[in-house]
Amino acid sequence: MTLNSITFEFILLQISVAFSPGLIIALVVNESVQKNRISGIKVAIGAAFGALIITFLSAILVSYLFSSIPTILTFIYLGGTFYIVFKGLKTFKTSPLNLSLNSSEYLIYSGFKLNLSNPKMWVFFLTVLPIFVANKAQIFIELVYFGIITVFINLFADVSYAIFSNYFFKDASTNMKLLINKISGISLIAIGVYLFFSRFI
């Protein structure tokens, strides 16, 4: 397969992943609803910077340890899947206000920190992106290439949530905000279970 056809398949996959509710989207939506869409967009920008760091770190790791990657993937899947389920349960039980931030000065940093510590992001970059590498001799370049595509698609999805959440949920009730948290939590649990069964069963 050519890089162009692989890129098209990857974009289709990434769009479906990027628009599924998760920790960043939960925070983006909550900030947009409680404050304004600019606050949500700031979180999204911070998350994009975090994803850029993950892009380069994961590309370095995979390119240097490619020969032993099955062992690394086993460790990442075991730790990552269980942690994703744990975070999903925690998000599911969190009250809506607990996802809001105390000061707008830290919105970008909070998005950055949350994405950088998000096991779902690390699992995706370390296990899914290498599947789409067409030329192992160019593995670092191609991983960065797919990583940058991921960053821009995720940023577009997060900003879209910020804009439309503010428009549709400006006067949302606590129950509506709690529903957003529950959807995010269930989605993370589903992702963790799927990753576990697809890898080990």
Side-chain angles (χ1 to χ4, degrees):
M1 297 179 67
T2 66
L3 183 60
N4 287 337
S5 61
I6 293 175
T7 299
F8 178 73
E9 291 182 355
F10 178 77
I11 289 174
L12 290 179
L13 170 68
Q14 181 53 33
I15 288 174
S16 65
V17 172
F19 280 91
S20 64
L23 291 177
I24 289 296
I25 288 176
L27 186 56
V28 166
V29 168
N30 205 59
E31 289 300 309
S32 299
V33 168
Q34 293 197 16
K35 298 175 184 175
N36 52 61
R37 59 172 59 96
I38 297 300
S39 295
I41 291 172
K42 286 181 179 179
V43 173
I45 291 172
F49 280 116
L52 280 175
I53 299 297
I54 296 175
T55 293
F56 286 98
L57 290 180
S58 61
I60 291 171
L61 178 62
V62 174
S63 62
Y64 277 102
L65 303 176
F66 190 76
S67 61
S68 60
I69 199 65
T71 303
I72 296 173
L73 292 184
T74 299
F75 174 78
I76 292 173
Y77 265 92
L78 279 173
T81 52
F82 285 117
Y83 190 69
I84 289 172
V85 172
F86 168 77
K87 295 295 284 188
L89 290 170
K90 186 175 180 180
T91 302
F92 184 85
K93 296 178 180 179
T94 300
S95 64
L97 295 178
N98 288 346
L99 281 177
S100 62
L101 304 175
N102 294 326
S103 174
S104 60
E105 295 177 3
Y106 302 103
L107 289 172
I108 293 178
Y109 174 70
S110 294
F112 171 82
K113 183 176 65 174
L114 184 60
N115 226 13
L116 199 59
S117 62
N118 186 353
K120 174 189 170 184
M121 293 295 294
W122 286 99
V123 169
F124 185 84
F125 278 81
L126 286 167
T127 64
V128 178
L129 267 63
I131 296 174
F132 294 88
V133 171
N135 183 0
K136 293 181 180 179
Q138 301 283 334
I139 186 169
F140 177 80
I141 294 175
E142 291 194 17
L143 286 174
V144 171
Y145 168 73
F146 286 118
I148 291 174
I149 291 175
T150 299
V151 170
F152 278 103
I153 293 177
N154 284 349
L155 180 60
F156 175 77
D158 294 342
V159 170
S160 297
Y161 269 99
I163 293 173
F164 290 107
S165 294
N166 183 267
Y167 180 77
F168 288 109
F169 303 118
K170 184 67 176 178
D171 299 318
S173 65
T174 299
N175 288 336
M176 176 61 71
K177 297 171 187 175
L178 185 60
L179 176 63
I180 292 172
N181 283 12
K182 290 186 180 299
I183 292 173
S184 298
I186 291 172
S187 297
L188 283 173
I189 294 169
I191 290 169
V193 171
Y194 170 78
L195 287 173
F196 179 81
F197 280 95
S198 65
R199 180 62 178 84
F200 294 107
I201 304 302

